Amino acid sequence: GQYEESLHKTFDRIKRSRLNAYITLNVEDAIKTAKAVDEGRVTGRLAGVPVAVKDCITTKGLLTTCGSKILSGYVPPFDAEVVARLKREGAVIVGKTNMDEFAMGTSTESSYYGPTRNPWDLSRVPGGSSGGSGAAVAGLECRMALGTDTGGSVRCPASFCGIVGIKPTYGLVSRYGVVAYANSLEQVGPMARNVSDAALLLDVIAGHDPKDSTSVDTADKVSYVNYLIDDVKGLKIGVPKEYFGEGTDKRVENAVWSAIMRLNKLGADYREVSLPHTKYALAAYYIIAMCEASSNLARFDGLRYGLRTGKDENWHTTFSRIRAEGFGEEVKRRIMLGTYALSEGYYGKYYLKALKVRTLIKQDFDKAFKDVDILAAPTMPFPAFRIGEHVDDPLSMYMADVNTVPVNLAGVPSISVPCGFAGNLPIGIQFIGGLFDEPKLIRTAYTFE
Ligand code: GLN
């Protein structure tokens, strides 16, 4: 039938592809589902739609590696809540997408399974850490995808690959079955080629889940597709001047401003605003993220899941050897820095300080949203960079996240939408809202469709 045939074409395309967007393909099971949709046995809002899933999201019976050697061979016995919701709506799970190891990165170069390439220019990165999902969507290797965004990992690849990505309000989407990197910051988010698909995917994954204690139990469930309306009349847009800092590419600045002017022509108002603590966001983010990571990643001891090599000696030796072999360089760096920052005598100096800064950043947003409805700014300060450009200089890689991490620190939602090009490279604009303002963001973004 129609769905099965088109799925075969998608798999052929993936097999010929040079993007390296997928770690694992779900061929047999996907074809079975497509067939069932063709025969009317499976229905739903995503019936027959090929969806890709980032490899840190647990899938029952399907390899889940987080882009790491340490999870080689790990086949989970359960589905993440978001995956269960996809299946309930008839989605066809194409496969698991490549990512920076344990979602630590901005380029998808730190994967044990090799870098993913940007479909617009194969010598460039797709962004990260959900770069496999971004490349798969932009490269027509699925229709939509799930990513996770801890400090920009949905919005960065959306920006670099010229697609739409949403970082939902913290607590809107269940994290049950999402392998934790920094749990106080991350959310699963939809990635798609247009706002309509992104809104539809958000509709499917959002909503209370009793299995995740941080999942918010909102009284009524919002239907995001109802906000696919072309109307921004009277909308007040704030343009935070700190988001156009020193390292911002002129072409990005121009594209973002033209997008704001376009919204102005459609009836929106704009004014410059200030989020004065933005300059501390990167430092606070990386301390908090590394501290949480060092604690979360302690569970990978080689005994419970994944890699098991050599002969077992005493617990300490086995544990250390497997971690030494199984983790990549960036993950080790973060575990060590996080452990250091949490250790006695340093905790107050680094971790507690970072938490205080986090509160100030949240207050910046609260204050701004008293005067404006949403904020508009570049998602990334520059277009996709070359593979290898930042790998030897982690700090320069971290700096690329300057405009994305404040959003995660505050827990607020943001959507990244394509707004222009620098040569053949896409540029993204992000709209940021107050808590649970997804409807406003979708309405604004939809005017770009
Ligand atoms: N680049 C950021 C980091 O490395 C964000 C990653 C993410 O959102 N998962 O932590």
Side-chain angles (χ1 to χ4, degrees), residues 54 100 102-107 128-130 148-156 181 186 285-286 289 330 334 397-398 401 404-405 408:
K54 189 180 184 182
D100 280 299
F102 285 106
M104 297 174 187
T106 307
S107 66
S129 63
S130 317
T148 61
D149 193 311
T150 308
S153 284
V154 161
R155 288 162 291 152
C156 164
Y181 154 26
E186 57 212 7
Y285 167 82
Y286 273 96
E330 182 61 24
R334 296 194 187 197
M397 184 85 85
Y398 302 165
D401 302 335
T404 50
V405 298
N408 303 73

Side-chain angles (χ1 to χ4, degrees), residues 60-84:
K60 185 175 177 174
L62 189 61
L63 198 64
T64 298
T65 72
C66 293
S68 181
K69 185 181 178 189
I70 208 162
L71 280 176
S72 304
Y74 173 56
V75 178
F78 71 107
D79 273 326
E81 175 63 17
V82 288
V83 171

Side-chain angles (χ1 to χ4, degrees), residues 65 103 244 435:
T65 72
F244 297 78
L435 298 174

